[in-house]
Every structure is written in structure tokens, then in C-alpha cells.
């Protein structure tokens, strides 16, 4: 299904044809995210993501915008802690234009100083938007607390202070040092021809350089973060240290999360919201990285119900750690997860994302058939053992945003 080719300079090309489609999705994945940044460089990778849309040596920003609209598809980019992705989706007939457009943007950006100054203001507004989004702020404060003084804890967007001295010259130098062929993956899914793949080989085969060193290993430390905000609701995220992105146990973890806190039938939703009416929103999720991970439970609620809600959440989690989940819950979680996999990968964009991210972070791609087989093989006892391992209450952390209590008060609520 997937074909992976490594060019002489280290660039990898992964392709997957999808019969019956007339569109294709192409992504340039670069193994440079905020974890590769020093404190002084914080936000540089995301800043570069913005700047590639501001003009190249061949195209002005207006010409880029017109050409993006002219292909009748979507062109975008995103930055994570582990990587940056520049991607486009279009009709197969426009793949040559998309390839030229993306490669020009990524490797021939002007980084004009006037544009840098303007875009810095845009990113400052983006930082303000995140600070006004309580669940995002809650997660950001959590990372700062549990990974103190480490690159993984720093915000992907950077800070107003770290962005202030960055110039076009600085960003170009950073890009030259970190956008290396050994860390680049070209992911192509959908309808394409062999000449489209040849074009990728020709376009990216001349890049020179090597490979970034791995990010420093993350070190988790439990803690409690509080951030005062004049919100109507308090936003809480509880977290346990969990699995890396590519862990062999990730399928069991997904089923555990589905049974515990994904959907209206999950234990947390039923117990905390439906039975006790203590919150409006509650769910669990896993956040996996190359060498670490968090298992999180998020809820939004009034300050007056915090104590009862936290007590109930801990009760539910403790019971799952002691007893595991029922066969009925396992079956329901399994079908839910399998459906999410199959329906998600029916999209060219989702398949391109799956291939690029998996190959970049784990050096392999798990096929849909393998994923279904892995979900089917998970037993109730495996989930129980995993729950016991993850739900270590000595390692429990909390992030709270809103009209919050003191860290000591939350400590008492968590530890009894």
C-alpha cells in the first residue's frame, strides 16, 4: 500500500495511491519543531511557518495568494513541538503547480525585514488569542509545570519577548541550520502519476546537509499550575505521565481513553456530568511525543463544583486502575476506535498526515489493516495492566485556569 523511497541526500518520499479519487494531498514534513529551539530561539520555527507565505524570490505574497486560490484547493502549514508541515490538497492535474509552489515557499522564502516586522505583530495577536482560549492555556501551563526548563515546555508560538529580536537574517540562518534533508519527508496520497513522483525526486534531490540531532530527552515532574483568568468557568486538566507517540501499547491506551473519557457513554461523562451534574464538558485524551507522553483529563466547570468533581474523577480513575473496564466497554471502545481509523483514512489529507507523521516520528507506517488487527488483539487484562501503570497518583499533576484556588488547596483536593 505504502511505498517509501530514500534519496541520496536523505530525503524520504512516501506515496500511497487511492483509486477512484481525482484529488491528491502533498505534505512537506520537516523534523524541526519547537523542541529543537533554545530559549533564545523559542518561536522561530512557527515564525518561519508564517514567513513562507509572505513572498519568495520568484513570487510576491500577493502572487502566492492568487496561485493558491488558482489551483482550486487548499494550501496551509502547521507547527508542532516535534515538526513542521507545509501541505496542499488539489486536483491531480494541479500537482505540478502544487509541488513547485510548496518547494518555492519553503526553500526560497525572502524573509524580508519589513514583512518580518509586520508578521511579528500577527503572531503577537495569535498569542493573545491562545491566552484567551482557556483550554489551550490550561494545556500550555501544564507543560510548563511538568517539564520545567525544557524545550518541550515552551510554547510553540514563542513569547512576545523571544520574538522581539528575531530578524529575517536570523530566521534564514535558523532555517538553513534546521531544515535538513535527513529530516524531510515528502508525503503524497491520492491520485498521482509516476511523473509527479519524479518531479519530487528532481526538486528535492539536490538539497544538501545532514540531519538534526535528537531533541533532549524530556523529564517529567509532577506539579500543580494555576493561572488567574476572569472566566465564568474554571478549566482543569489532570495529567499522568504516559506513552510516547510510537509505543507498542498505544492501541490499548486509545481503548482505555475511549472507555474512560471519549464520548457520551464514557465513564467520566456518565458519572461526572450525567449522574452528578458537576460540569458541562469532560473528556480524556493522550498527548504523545517522540520520547514521552501525557494522559490528560480535561473538564470545564464552576468553582463551586470543583471539589466534588475532582473527587468523583479520582474515584472513577482509581476504580478503572483497580478493576479495569468491562467487556461491553472494551467492545464499544474497540468499534469506536476502528471506525475512527477507517473513516479518517478515507481522506487524502488524513492519509497524507498519517504517513508523514508516522514515518517522521517512528520511522515506520502502520497500515490500516495492522491498526485494526492491533485494536482487535487488545484484551481487557492488557488495559487493566496499562491503567495500573499509568494511573500513578503520586505522579498526578493538575493545571487550573480561571478563578482558581491556590496550588496548596488543589494539592489537598488531589492528595486528600
Amino acid at each position: 500500500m505504502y511505498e517509501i523511497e530514500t534519496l541520496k541526500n536523505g530525503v524520504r518520499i512516501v506515496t500511497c495511491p487511492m483509486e477512484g479519487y481525482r484529488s491528491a494531498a502533498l505534505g512537506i514534513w520537516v523534523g524541526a519543531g519547537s523542541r529543537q529551539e533554545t530559549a533564545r530561539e523559542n518561536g522561530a520555527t512557527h515564525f518561519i511557518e508564517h514567513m513562507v507565505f509572505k513572498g519568495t524570490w520568484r513570487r510576491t505574497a500577493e502572487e502566492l495568494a492568487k496561485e493558491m486560490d488558482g489551483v482550486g484547493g487548499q494550501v496551509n502549514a502547521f507547527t508542532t513541538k516535534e515538526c513542521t508541515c507545509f501541505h496542499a490538497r488539489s486536483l491531480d492535474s494541479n500537482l505540478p503547480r502544487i509541488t513547485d509552489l510548496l518547494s518555492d515557499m519553503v526553500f526560497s522564502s525572502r524573509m524580508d525585514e519589513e514583512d518580518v516586522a509586520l508578521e511579528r505583530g500577527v503572531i503577537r495577536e495569535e498569542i493573545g488569542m491562545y491566552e484567551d482560549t482557556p483550554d489551550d492555556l490550561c494545556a500550555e501551563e501544564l507543560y510548563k509545570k511538568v517539564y520545567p526548563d525544557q524545550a518541550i515546555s515552551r510554547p510553540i508560538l514563542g513569547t512576545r519577548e523571544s520574538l522581539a529580536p528575531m530578524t529575517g537574517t536570523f530566521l534564514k540562518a535558523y532555517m538553513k541550520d534546521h531544515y535538513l534533508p535527513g529530516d524531510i519527508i515528502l508525503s503524497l496520497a491520492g491520485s498521482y502519476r509516476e511523473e509527479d513522483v519524479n518531479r519530487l525526486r528532481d526538486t528535492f534531490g539536490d538539497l544538501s546537509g545532514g540531519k538534526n540531532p535528537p531533541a533532549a530527552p524530556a523529564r517529567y515532574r509532577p506539579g500543580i499550575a494555576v493561572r488567574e483568568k476572569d472566566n465564568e468557568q474554571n478549566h482543569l486538566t489532570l495529567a499522568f505521565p504516559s506513552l510516547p507517540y510510537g509505543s507498542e501499547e498505544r492501541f490499548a491506551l486509545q481503548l482505555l481513553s475511549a472507555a474512560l473519557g471519549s464520548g457520551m457513554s464514557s465513564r467520566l461523562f456518565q458519572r461526572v456530568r450525567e449522574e452528578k451534574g458537576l460540569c458541562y464538558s469532560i473528556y480524556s485524551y493522550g498527548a504523545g511525543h517522540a520520547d514521552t507522553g501525557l494522559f490528560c483529563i480535561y473538564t470545564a466547570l464552576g468553582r463551586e463544583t470543583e471539589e466534588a468533581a475532582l473527587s468523583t474523577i479520582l474515584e472513577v480513575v482509581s476504580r478503572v486502575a483497580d478493576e479495569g473496564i468491562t467487556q461491553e466497554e472494551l467492545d464499544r471502545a474497540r468499534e469506536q476506535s476502528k471506525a475512527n481509523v477507517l473513516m479518517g483514512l478515507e481522506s487524502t489529507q488524513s492519509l497524507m498526515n498519517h504517513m508523514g507523521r508516522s514515518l517522521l516520528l517512528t520511522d515506520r507506517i502502520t497500515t490500516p489493516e495492522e491498526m485494526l488487527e492491533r485494536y482487535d488483539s487488545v484484551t481487557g487484562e492488557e488495559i487493566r495492566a496499562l491503567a495500573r501503570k499509568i494511573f500513578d497518583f503520586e505522579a498526578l499533576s493538575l493545571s487550573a485556569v480561571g478563578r482558581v484556588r491556590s496550588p496548596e488547596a488543589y494539592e489537598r483536593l488531589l492528595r486528600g
Side-chain angles (χ1 to χ4, degrees):
M1 184 180 185
Y2 308 122
E3 291 190 16
I4 302 172
E5 174 185 357
T6 302
L7 305 184
K8 290 182 179 180
N9 60 358
V11 171
R12 285 177 287 178
I13 302 174
V14 53
T15 55
C16 183
M18 300 174 71
E19 293 185 8
Y21 282 72
R22 281 301 312 276
S23 67
L26 172 65
I28 302 174
W29 292 77
V30 185
S34 60
R35 288 191 72 178
Q36 277 69 43
E37 299 166 351
T38 64
R40 184 180 70 87
E41 297 165 339
N42 184 217
T45 312
H46 176 259
F47 207 154
I48 289 168
E49 177 213 314
H50 275 240
M51 289 306 302
V52 303
F53 290 85
K54 305 305 290 183
T56 72
W57 297 108
R58 291 167 47 201
R59 297 172 170 99
T60 65
E62 183 180 358
E63 288 169 340
L64 283 175
K66 288 180 177 178
E67 193 159 353
M68 290 174 199
D69 290 342
V71 298
Q74 302 93 37
V75 181
N76 215 328
F78 61 84
T79 307
T80 73
K81 293 184 183 293
E82 318 280 353
C83 65
T84 308
C85 177
F86 306 90
H87 58 92
R89 179 172 176 264
S90 73
L91 294 178
D92 51 10
S93 56
N94 283 323
L95 260 178
R97 294 174 66 187
I98 287 294
T99 299
D100 180 64
L101 184 67
L102 283 181
S103 61
D104 188 33
M105 290 167 59
V106 176
F107 296 104
S108 299
S109 178
R110 287 179 62 90
M111 302 287 180
D112 181 81
E113 298 296 350
E114 191 173 316
D115 290 333
V116 168
L118 288 172
E119 203 62 24
R120 185 185 293 110
V122 173
I123 298 174
R124 284 172 177 160
E125 292 300 317
E126 189 177 359
I127 291 171
M129 182 185 71
Y130 270 80
E131 290 177 347
D132 287 339
T133 308
D135 51 343
D136 289 332
L137 183 58
C138 198
E140 192 165 291
E141 293 297 314
L142 174 69
Y143 271 82
K144 290 179 186 176
K145 178 59 67 171
V146 302
Y147 298 113
D149 302 317
Q150 300 170 62
I152 193 173
S153 74
R154 299 185 195 117
I156 293 169
L157 304 185
T159 66
R160 292 174 178 86
E161 294 73 25
S162 67
L163 296 175
M166 293 185 187
T167 65
T169 300
F170 170 84
L171 293 175
K172 282 190 281 190
Y174 186 89
M175 204 173 187
K176 181 179 179 182
D177 290 341
H178 291 85
Y179 279 51
L180 303 176
D183 288 312
I184 292 176
I185 290 172
L186 310 175
S187 180
L188 175 61
S191 173
Y192 57 87
R193 299 166 296 178
E194 182 60 27
E195 57 211 73
D196 295 315
V197 182
N198 286 335
R199 189 173 294 105
L200 293 176
R201 296 184 182 112
D202 294 340
T203 302
F204 293 89
D206 291 334
L207 296 176
S208 60
K211 185 177 176 68
N212 283 301
R219 302 178 306 281
Y220 176 93
R221 186 175 74 187
I224 295 176
V226 297
R227 177 76 176 268
E228 289 274 359
K229 293 283 284 186
D230 190 21
N231 299 324
E232 287 299 317
Q233 286 190 309
N234 281 2
H235 299 258
L236 308 179
T237 300
L238 293 91
F240 297 89
S242 186
L243 306 176
Y245 178 85
S247 169
E248 291 298 313
E249 295 180 287
R250 66 187 183 276
F251 300 96
L253 181 67
Q254 174 58 38
L255 299 185
L256 170 61
S257 181
L260 182 64
S262 296
M264 296 174 62
S265 67
S266 66
R267 288 200 184 190
L268 287 171
F269 190 94
Q270 284 294 314
R271 183 73 170 142
V272 183
R273 173 177 160 151
E274 296 296 279
E275 293 180 21
K276 294 198 171 186
L278 297 172
C279 69
Y280 175 75
S281 175
I282 186 165
Y283 56 85
S284 63
Y285 64 93
H289 301 284
D291 60 332
T292 187
L294 297 175
F295 186 93
C296 299
I297 298 169
Y298 166 83
T299 186
L301 70 180
R303 191 178 192 276
E304 66 279 1
T305 62
E306 274 188 336
E307 184 171 356
L310 284 172
S311 174
T312 305
I313 291 170
L314 296 178
E315 171 195 318
V316 171
V317 171
S318 180
R319 185 168 182 180
V320 169
D322 289 340
E323 302 173 4
I325 62 176
T326 67
Q327 186 62 46
E328 180 184 353
E329 288 174 312
L330 174 56
D331 292 341
R332 189 164 56 242
R334 200 191 317 270
E335 290 308 307
Q336 179 185 4
S337 299
K338 288 163 61 176
N340 288 340
V341 166
L342 291 180
M343 289 190 292
L345 294 182
E346 287 179 352
S347 156
T348 57
Q349 182 76 24
S350 295
L351 181 57
M352 180 278 291
N353 283 334
H354 169 66
M355 296 191 304
R357 188 186 305 273
S358 297
L359 190 57
L360 188 65
L361 296 184
T362 69
D363 284 326
R364 70 180 304 271
I365 302 170
T366 308
T367 66
E369 292 75 20
E370 288 177 296
M371 286 189 276
L372 296 182
E373 184 179 329
R374 295 295 299 277
Y375 281 127
D376 282 335
S377 68
V378 174
T379 66
E381 187 52 45
E382 283 180 272
I383 291 180
R384 183 183 181 188
L386 181 60
R388 285 180 173 175
K389 179 172 73 172
I390 288 178
F391 298 141
D392 175 4
F393 287 87
E394 293 300 314
L396 176 61
S397 295
L398 173 73
S399 176
V401 170
R403 300 173 183 178
V404 295
R405 306 165 193 254
S406 67
E408 294 76 19
Y410 284 116
E411 182 76 27
R412 288 192 292 270
L413 291 180
L414 294 182
R415 317 296 180 193

